[in-house]
């Protein structure tokens, strides 16, 4: 009689997606594990695993899973997670962006990914978009268990983003955002934070108010996403400069730049790519044009698959071209 009982790894692969929970800073983070469709990229210790995170106020169910499914089809496990305070993850302070906290969550997600069945803990891949596109540079810097990094339309320089915002917003709009941020920090401990929409129509109060941003983000939004954010994010990101960490990334790095990006300055992303000696791909579109349903989603995903399979196939070198 044939034993048809599935191993835990085989059961997870058959299910496709499964929920994973891990701890960060005393709170529980919730993630989705997408199991690789095959073992073509497996080495003696297992398959490479991608640790994936969203941008500003994003959640796993807001556009990440099509990327995760595409990478899993190529032979990579993926662990896509929500930061504390967002989506399905825990945390008593909701909808507040803390760069320090998100970097802690990313590191905790890496530890969780390394324990998944069938994966090689020494072949982590860090994948980030927008704000997380900068985080992956900071998290990867100096680590020897990261085999590759994908940075999609990354926000790598808060000051440069502020200068770009001046080109697209009135000084009054930016001043109002700053005032809201200061009020939130001053009152947050006593009355709770000042909340603003993540996306709003031009001229309204919100973190992202450029024409088209609201429709683009809402088209991605999943059931756990909330259209509100602590206004202090305007102050949090002003001094954020992960571009400085790019030179410390020792593994192959892919930087994907939207040439007409109005949110994450393309020239700053290019500077990070140079410092990190990255492979660079360009797309003649705006910040959201690389997302599912948009013109450049398919090529952006195809470039990620090509980059990762080239560097992670058994026997492939993980050195960058200019290191050889």
């Amino acid at each position: 009689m044939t034993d048809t009982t599935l191993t835990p790894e085989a059961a997870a692969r058959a299910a496709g997606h499964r929920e994973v929970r891990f701890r960060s800073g005393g709170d529980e983070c919730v993630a989705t594990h997408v199991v690789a469709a095959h073992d073509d990229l497996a080495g003696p210790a297992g398959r490479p695993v991608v640790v994936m995170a969203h941008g500003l106020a994003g959640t796993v169910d807001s556009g990440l899973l099509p990327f995760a499914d595409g990478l899993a089809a190529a032979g990579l496990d993926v662990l896509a997670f929500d930061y504390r305070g967002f989506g399905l993850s825990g945390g008593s302070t909701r909808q507040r962006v803390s760069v320090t906290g998100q970097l802690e969550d990313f590191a905790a997600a890496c530890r969780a990914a390394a324990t998944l069945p069938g994966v090689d803990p020494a072949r982590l891949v860090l994948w980030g978009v927008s704000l997380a596109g900068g985080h992956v540079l900071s998290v990867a810097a100096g680590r020897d268990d990261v085999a590759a990094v994908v940075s999609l339309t990354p926000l790598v320089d808060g000051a440069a983003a502020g200068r770009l915002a001046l080109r697209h917003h009135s000084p009054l709009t930016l001043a109002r955002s700053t005032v809201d941020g200061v009020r939130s920090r001053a009152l947050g401990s006593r009355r709770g934070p000042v909340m603003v929409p993540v996306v709003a129509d031009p001229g309204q109060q919100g973190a992202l108010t450029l024409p088209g941003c609201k429709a683009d983000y809402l088209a991605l939004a999943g059931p756990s996403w909330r259209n509100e954010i602590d206004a202090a994010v305007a102050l949090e990101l002003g001094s954020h400069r992960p571009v400085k960490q790019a030179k410390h990334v020792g593994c192959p790095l892919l930087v994907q730049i939207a040439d007409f990006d109005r949110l994450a300055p393309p020239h700053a992303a290019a500077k990070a790519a140079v410092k990190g000696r990255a492979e660079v791909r360009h797309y003649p579109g705006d910040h959201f044009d690389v997302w599912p349903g948009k013109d450049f989603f398919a090529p952006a995903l195809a470039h990620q698959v090509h980059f990762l399979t080239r560097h992670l196939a058994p026997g492939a070198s993980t050195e960058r071209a200019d290191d050889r």
Side-chain angles (χ1 to χ4, degrees):
M1 182 174 180
T2 303
D3 183 2
T4 58
T5 302
L6 295 178
T7 66
E9 180 183 349
R13 180 172 290 179
H17 295 182
R18 70 183 187 97
E19 185 179 279
V20 172
R21 295 172 181 263
F22 61 89
R23 308 292 295 184
S24 179
D27 294 311
E28 188 174 66
C29 290
V30 177
T32 297
H33 177 204
V34 186
V35 184
H38 53 75
D39 290 325
D40 290 1
L41 298 180
R47 300 180 300 272
V49 56
V50 179
V51 183
M52 177 179 286
H54 216 304
L56 184 71
T59 53
V60 168
D61 58 9
S62 298
L64 283 191
L65 292 180
F67 284 106
D69 288 337
L71 297 178
L76 298 112
D77 281 60
V78 181
L79 186 71
F81 73 95
D82 286 333
Y83 297 113
R84 284 174 290 171
F86 291 91
L88 300 179
S89 288
S92 58
T93 303
R94 308 301 299 176
Q95 303 301 119
R96 174 180 293 171
V97 173
S98 163
V99 170
T100 299
Q102 291 190 353
L103 293 177
E104 291 173 352
D105 296 346
F106 220 121
C110 288
R111 293 192 293 271
T115 68
L116 294 174
V119 309
D120 182 348
R123 286 202 296 162
L124 300 177
V125 176
L126 306 188
W127 189 106
V129 60
S130 193
L131 182 58
H135 290 347
V136 292
L137 303 179
S138 298
V139 177
R143 294 182 65 140
D144 59 8
D145 58 348
V146 177
V149 173
V150 174
S151 179
L152 177 62
T153 59
L155 177 63
V156 297
D157 189 329
R163 292 190 293 270
L164 180 63
L166 282 171
R167 292 170 48 189
H168 297 291
H169 299 83
S170 70
L172 179 61
T173 298
L174 296 179
R176 184 171 61 184
S177 295
T178 301
V179 169
D180 287 340
V182 171
R183 287 181 56 234
S184 187
R185 282 199 172 171
L187 300 176
S189 60
R190 293 183 288 118
R191 302 182 187 176
V194 175
M195 306 300 287
V196 298
V198 178
V199 287
D201 292 321
Q204 296 182 344
Q205 188 180 31
L208 305 176
T209 60
L210 290 174
C213 280
K214 182 178 179 180
D216 286 341
Y217 210 137
L218 293 182
L220 297 171
S224 74
W225 182 78
R226 289 168 54 185
N227 191 19
E228 64 176 5
I229 193 170
D230 185 343
V233 66
L235 307 179
E236 181 75 13
L237 299 184
S239 59
H240 182 50
R241 296 199 69 204
V243 63
K244 294 181 178 180
Q245 299 300 318
K247 64 183 178 181
H248 301 300
V249 176
C251 63
L253 167 64
L254 173 65
V255 176
Q256 298 176 282
I257 300 172
D259 292 328
F260 303 107
D261 200 322
R262 296 174 297 164
L263 300 176
H267 70 278
K271 183 181 293 186
V274 170
K275 289 179 179 292
R277 293 166 287 170
E279 179 177 318
V280 181
R281 296 286 187 169
H282 290 268
Y283 310 93
D286 202 353
H287 193 71
F288 288 99
D289 289 339
V290 296
W291 284 92
K294 292 291 192 171
D295 290 344
F296 302 111
F297 167 70
L301 176 59
H303 291 149
Q304 293 170 18
V305 168
H306 177 70
F307 169 78
L308 292 173
T309 55
R310 191 172 79 250
H311 286 291
L312 298 176
S317 172
T318 57
E319 294 181 331
R320 292 171 295 196
D322 58 353
D323 289 335
R324 296 174 188 160

